[in-house]
Amino acid sequence: MRFLAALAAMTMAVSVAACGSSDSDDSSTGTATTATTTSAAGGGSHEGEVVKIAVVTDQTGLAAIAGVPELAGVKFGVDQVNAANELGGAKLEITSTADSATKVPQAVSEVSKAEKDGADVVLLGAITPEALAAAPIAQRAGLPLVSMHPAENLTTVGDHIFTIEPLESSRGPSMADYLKSQGVKRVATLYDSSNPTTALAAEKTVPEQAQRGGYEVVSRQSFTTTDTDFSGQVAKTIAAKPDAVFVNGIGAANNGVISALRRAGYKGIIYGTVSMGGGAIAGAGADAEGVIYTEPFSPGTTDPVGKQFVADYKKATGKEPLYFSAAGYDAVQLVAEAVKRITGEIDRDSLSKAMTEVTEAGMHGAQGSLTFTERQAEAPGLIVEFSGGQEKVVGGAQ
Amino acid sequence: MGQQAANTIVLGSSYLLFTLGLSLSWGVLGVLNLAHGAIFMIGAIVAYQVTKGSDASLVVVLPVAAAAGGACAVILELVAYRPIRNRLRHSAEGDLRALIASVAAASILVAVGDEVTDRNPQSLPPSLFDVHTTTVLGAQVTNIQLLIVGLALALTLALAWVVHSTNAGRAMRAFAYDPATARLLGVSPERLSVATMFVSGAMAAAAGVLLAINLNLVSAYMGDGLLLKAFAIIILAGVGSIGGALVAAFLLAFVEIGVVEYVSSDLKDAVAFALIIVLLLLRPQGLFSRGAWQRA
C-alpha cells in the first residue's frame, strides 16, 4: 500500500514538473523549408545566418486563451517567411517556446532564460503585469522584445521594446462613432480594476470616447480577476439606467459579467474590447448574443493582406485564425521586415535598430495598416458583433 | 435596496456552500486542503463532460459530479495527506508538507480542467438546468439562485445534525480531539478520515456544479477566488464551527455588497478583509470557536 502511494505521489510530481516546464519546440518547422540564396531588397546577403526567436507565451493560466493561438500564429508566420525565402538566405528559427503560465515570476524567468540562451529576439504573449516585469530584462540586455499583447506604456521601458497589437485607445474613436450611431446617451463601465490595461481602458479610453460620441458615463463599477460574484456591481449598474454597458475583464470574468447583466434583466447594449474577441465569450452561450467589441483583426476582415492571411492560415491549419494568431503572425512579419533591412551581421543590436526603422515607416500586416508611436502599434481596428456564435464586422476601419 | 438584500443572501449562500466541505476536513482532520477549490472546479468539469454527450438533467448530473469530487478528495487523503499525517504527526513540518501536497494536487486538477475546457471559459448547457428569472419580494432572482440558497441552508442544518446528534458525528469530534484516544474508543481513524474527505469533496463538487450554472461559467480557475473567501470565513467563524461558518459567510457577503452599494466597488475586498482583521484582533480564536475538548 505504501509502495502504491509512493508510486502515485511520484507520478503526481512528474506531472507537475511536466506542466510547469518550458520545452524546446520540436514542432517548429523553421528548418523544414530549405532556403535558397536570394538577396533581400535593400538588405545584404545573410546566407547561412539564423535569426533565433524565443517565444514566451501564456500557454496555461487565465491568459492561455491568448497565448495558445499567439504561438500558433508565430509558428505559421515563421514557416511562411522561411518558405518565401526573401531574407537574403537567412532563416528564422524558433529556438524555444516557453510557458509564462499567466504568472509574473514565470514570465520574468523565461525572458531571462531566453536572454541567457542567446536569443536574437523574444516574442512575448503575456498579460500586462508580466510584460511590464519582463521587458526591463530584455531592455538591459539589448534584446529586442515584441509584445503580442497591447500593454499600455510598455514601450517606454526602452528602445528595444516593441508592441505589435494596437492599444485599445487607438480603437476608441471607432467605438465612439459606432455607439453614437446607435443613439447611445448613457454609458456605464464594469471592469477589472486589478489589471492596468483593462482599468486604463475603462478609466481613460471610455471617458475620451464619451466626449467624442457625445454621451455621458453614468456609472463606474469594478471587480477583480478572480471574482466570481458580480451581483452587487450589476445591480448598481442597472440602477444607473445606462443605454450601454462597457464590460472589460480578462478571460472568464467577461462571461460571468455578461451573464449576470442579462440574468438581472439588462436589455441594452453590452460592449467591450479585444478581451472578448477570439471566441472568448462564446462560452456565455445565448447571453453573449449581440455583444459588441473592438478587435484589431477578425476573420471577416476585408483588408487584402488580412484576407490573404486568413486564406493561407486556413489552408495550412484547417482553422480560422483568431486575432491572437494575427498578432503572432504580425510579430514575425516585423522581425522579417527588419532582417530585410539589415546589411551587415544580424545580431540583437542590428535587429533592434532595423525593427525601429520598420515601425517608423509603418507596416501592413494581417491586422491591416499599422502605424507606430514610439514602437507601439496603432490602428483604428474593427467593431465586431458576436452573433450566432460568429463574429460579424459591423464597423470600424472597413 | 431589496435587490441588494437578495444579492447578499445569494452570495452568502454561495460562500457557505463552498465553505462547508473545507470546514469539515479542516475541523475534523486538521487538513488545510488547498485543493478544495480545484475539487469544486472538478465538479463543474464533470458536469461539463457528462452534458457534452447527453441531455442529462441536474438530478442525474449532481450526484455523479458529487461522487467524482468525493473520490478525488479520498484519493488525495490516501495518497498524500494520510501518509504525511502518519509520518509527521503533531509537527508543524507535517502540516506544512500536507499544505504543499494540497497545492501540488490543485495544480494537477487545474491542469486537467485546462485540458478539458481547451483553456477557454465554457458553460453548462440549458438542458442541464433551464435558468429563468423570477421576482421575489420586488427583487429579481433566478431559480438556480433559489436552489443555491435552499441547498446551502439544508446542508448546513444536515451537517450540524450529523456532527452533534449522530454516532458518526461523535466519532468525528472524538477524532478531532485526539485520534489516538478515539481509536481506543473504537473509532477507526482510517475509515473516518476517508468518509470525512469523501463528504468534503462531494460537497465541494456539488457546489461547483450549482455555482457554474449560476455564473454561466466553467473554468479551470473558478475556485481560486472562492478559496480565499472560504479561509476567511472559517477563520472568522472559528475552525470547525458550522454555525459560525453560516454567520461568517453571510457577514462577509453583507459587508461586500454593502461596500459596493454605499462606498465603492473598488474597496469591496479591502473593507471586507480589514473588518475581518479587526474582528480577529478582538477575538483571535474566531467568533464561535471553542476548544477541541469543548467540541468533543
Side-chain angles (χ1 to χ4, degrees):
Chain A
M1 185 63 196
R2 183 168 287 183
F3 169 74
L4 286 175
L7 192 64
M10 280 172 62
T11 308
M12 287 166 75
V14 170
S15 303
V16 171
C19 287
S21 69
S22 62
D23 38 62
S24 61
D25 177 47
D26 59 2
S27 65
S28 167
T29 50
T31 55
T33 310
T34 306
T36 56
T37 309
T38 51
S39 223
S45 171
H46 301 295
E47 185 61 40
E49 287 191 71
V50 173
V51 181
K52 289 173 279 185
I53 301 175
V55 189
V56 179
T57 50
D58 291 329
Q59 292 293 300
T60 55
L62 280 171
I65 189 172
V68 172
E70 275 167 352
L71 178 58
V74 169
K75 286 179 174 177
F76 172 73
V78 166
D79 286 351
Q80 197 181 64
V81 166
N82 285 336
N85 199 16
E86 292 175 345
L87 304 182
K91 285 196 303 183
L92 305 182
E93 184 176 339
I94 299 173
T95 51
S96 66
T97 59
D99 177 14
S100 41
T102 324
K103 291 175 180 166
V104 170
Q106 188 92 352
V108 169
S109 166
E110 294 299 349
V111 170
S112 297
K113 189 168 180 291
E115 193 279 314
K116 287 190 180 75
D117 289 347
D120 293 317
V121 59
V122 171
L123 305 186
L124 180 67
I127 58 174
T128 304
E130 294 174 71
L132 287 170
I137 294 162
Q139 176 62 29
R140 279 196 294 274
L143 170 65
L145 179 148
V146 184
S147 171
M148 296 178 278
H149 281 203
E152 199 84 37
N153 298 323
L154 182 67
T155 57
T156 61
V157 169
D159 58 353
H160 298 296
I161 311 301
F162 303 79
T163 305
I164 196 68
E165 190 189 315
L167 290 172
E168 188 58 35
S169 54
S170 68
R171 295 187 288 277
S174 301
M175 182 56 89
D177 294 344
Y178 178 81
L179 292 177
K180 188 178 180 183
S181 74
Q182 300 299 303
V184 169
K185 297 288 179 201
R186 296 166 65 84
V187 162
T189 59
L190 232 172
Y191 65 98
D192 183 346
S193 59
S194 61
N195 179 285
T197 299
T198 53
L200 201 72
E203 293 165 6
K204 183 167 176 277
T205 305
V206 169
E208 286 172 359
Q209 288 173 334
Q211 277 196 328
R212 180 184 173 102
Y215 48 79
E216 185 187 359
V217 181
V218 294
S219 169
R220 185 185 72 80
Q221 297 293 320
S222 66
F223 54 88
T224 62
T225 307
T226 54
D227 274 359
T228 50
D229 177 80
F230 313 99
S231 60
Q233 295 95 318
V234 163
K236 283 280 280 185
T237 300
I238 292 176
K241 296 184 169 49
D243 300 319
V245 179
F246 175 74
V247 175
N248 201 17
I250 294 173
N254 280 331
N255 296 20
V257 175
I258 289 168
S259 286
L261 279 164
R262 291 299 185 218
R263 287 178 178 183
Y266 180 69
K267 296 194 183 343
I269 294 172
I270 297 175
Y271 75 104
T273 70
V274 70
S275 69
M276 293 178 176
I281 59 170
D287 292 335
E289 193 69 17
V291 171
I292 307 288
Y293 48 91
T294 60
E295 275 195 319
F297 166 87
S298 174
T301 180
T302 55
D303 178 86
V305 177
K307 278 174 73 173
Q308 189 61 48
F309 165 69
V310 173
D312 293 344
Y313 189 93
K314 277 173 79 171
K315 192 176 170 189
T317 67
K319 294 178 185 172
E320 277 202 333
L322 304 176
Y323 80 86
F324 308 111
S325 301
Y329 177 83
D330 281 353
V332 173
Q333 301 312 308
L334 171 59
V335 175
E337 287 303 313
V339 171
K340 288 178 188 174
R341 289 171 178 262
I342 297 172
T343 50
E345 189 183 350
I346 302 171
D347 56 21
R348 290 177 179 178
D349 189 50
S350 62
L351 196 55
S352 186
K353 282 178 181 159
M355 285 164 68
T356 302
E357 287 174 21
V358 174
T359 61
E360 285 168 354
M363 61 179 271
H364 201 126
Q367 299 175 99
S369 180
L370 299 174
T371 58
F372 292 79
T373 301
E374 296 293 325
R375 303 171 307 286
Q376 163 64 62
E378 292 177 347
L382 308 169
I383 308 295
V384 172
E385 180 183 346
F386 195 77
S387 174
Q390 301 284 323
E391 289 182 348
K392 190 171 74 179
V393 178
V394 294
Q398 340 258 308
Chain B
M1 184 66 185
Q3 184 61 54
Q4 294 294 36
N7 291 339
T8 301
I9 292 168
V10 173
L11 181 59
S13 301
S14 301
Y15 286 162
L16 186 59
L17 207 51
F18 182 91
T19 303
L20 283 175
L22 187 64
S23 180
L24 186 67
S25 60
W26 196 356
V28 174
L29 303 178
V31 172
L32 189 50
N33 184 15
L34 291 177
H36 190 78
I39 295 171
F40 162 86
M41 172 272 296
I42 286 294
I45 292 288
V46 168
Y48 173 68
Q49 278 296 92
V50 170
T51 53
K52 257 172 111 174
S54 73
D55 289 335
S57 71
L58 189 63
V59 178
V60 175
V61 172
L62 198 61
V64 171
C72 268
V74 168
I75 290 168
L76 287 180
E77 164 65 13
L78 295 178
V79 170
Y81 302 151
R82 183 185 292 177
I84 291 170
R85 267 204 316 274
N86 288 345
R87 287 176 196 172
L88 296 162
R89 186 174 294 282
H90 303 308
S91 80
E93 193 187 352
D95 292 343
L96 186 62
R97 289 192 183 183
L99 200 70
I100 300 299
S102 71
V103 171
S107 302
I108 293 167
L109 294 175
V110 166
V112 170
D114 254 343
E115 282 302 312
V116 172
T117 58
D118 203 20
R119 296 180 172 79
N120 279 341
Q122 307 289 348
S123 59
L124 297 173
S127 59
L128 176 67
F129 191 91
D130 190 17
V131 178
H132 55 83
T133 305
T134 185
T135 303
V136 177
L137 300 173
Q140 288 205 306
V141 290
T142 61
N143 49 352
I144 189 67
Q145 290 173 334
L146 292 174
L147 183 58
I148 286 169
V149 173
L151 197 64
L153 295 177
L155 281 176
T156 304
L157 290 173
L159 197 59
W161 177 75
V162 167
V163 169
H164 293 289
S165 308
T166 67
N167 285 336
R170 278 186 277 276
M172 282 180 183
R173 287 183 287 145
F175 186 83
Y177 174 63
D178 186 344
T181 308
R183 188 188 287 271
L184 290 174
L185 293 170
V187 175
S188 165
E190 288 77 17
R191 275 194 296 179
L192 185 78
S193 61
V194 165
T196 303
M197 287 303 285
F198 182 85
V199 172
S200 169
M203 288 170 87
V209 177
L210 296 180
L211 295 191
I213 297 170
N214 184 40
L215 292 167
N216 198 23
L217 183 70
V218 177
S219 156
Y221 306 92
M222 58 191 287
D224 291 1
L226 284 168
L227 196 60
L228 184 62
K229 302 285 172 74
F231 281 132
I233 288 165
I234 292 171
I235 290 168
L236 184 60
V239 176
S241 171
I242 296 166
L246 184 141
V247 172
F250 282 97
L251 180 63
L252 182 62
F254 176 77
V255 173
E256 285 186 358
I257 298 285
V259 171
V260 169
E261 179 64 25
Y262 296 109
V263 186
S264 165
S265 52
D266 294 341
L267 300 173
K268 176 172 69 88
D269 288 341
V271 172
F273 282 96
L275 184 70
I276 288 171
I277 290 171
V278 170
L279 287 173
L280 288 177
L281 284 173
L282 295 172
R283 196 172 160 79
Q285 71 274 37
L287 295 178
F288 298 88
S289 177
R290 291 176 297 172
W293 63 273
Q294 286 174 303
R295 292 203 302 270

